[in-house]
Amino acid sequence: MIYTNDDPMALLAMEMERTENYGSCDDRHVSVCPVCKAETPEFYYMDEDEECIGCSECVYRTDVLF
């Protein structure tokens, strides 16, 4: 892409070309649920001891089953 000299993205483009985009923040970090192994769930659910009990893919809300 061609930028004008006064474009704020010009410096970023130059540095990305110079470093071959090394250390880019655009690398997708994939978080995985430790219970069901779903990739990038929307939410994680924790118990009182701060242990993960599941994610939005494997835990759901229901009425009392009494």
Side-chain angles (χ1 to χ4, degrees), residues 45 53-63 65:
Y45 296 98
I53 60 170
C55 70
S56 56
E57 300 291 322
C58 63
V59 177
Y60 60 93
R61 182 179 175 169
T62 185
D63 293 331
L65 300 174

Side-chain angles (χ1 to χ4, degrees), residues 29-50:
H29 174 70
V30 177
S31 62
V32 177
C33 175
V35 178
C36 71
K37 308 300 184 225
E39 291 185 357
T40 60
E42 188 173 352
F43 299 105
Y44 287 105
Y45 296 98
M46 313 297 273
D47 65 4
E48 294 84 20
D49 299 326
E50 297 295 320

Side-chain angles (χ1 to χ4, degrees), residues 5-39:
N5 287 340
D6 60 348
D7 190 327
M9 294 300 292
L11 181 61
L12 178 61
M14 182 182 68
E15 285 299 302
M16 287 174 60
E17 183 66 28
R18 182 181 69 83
T19 62
E20 297 179 358
N21 211 17
Y22 176 78
S24 171
C25 295
D26 293 335
D27 294 336
R28 182 179 157 191
H29 174 70
V30 177
S31 62
V32 177
C33 175
V35 178
C36 71
K37 308 300 184 225
E39 291 185 357

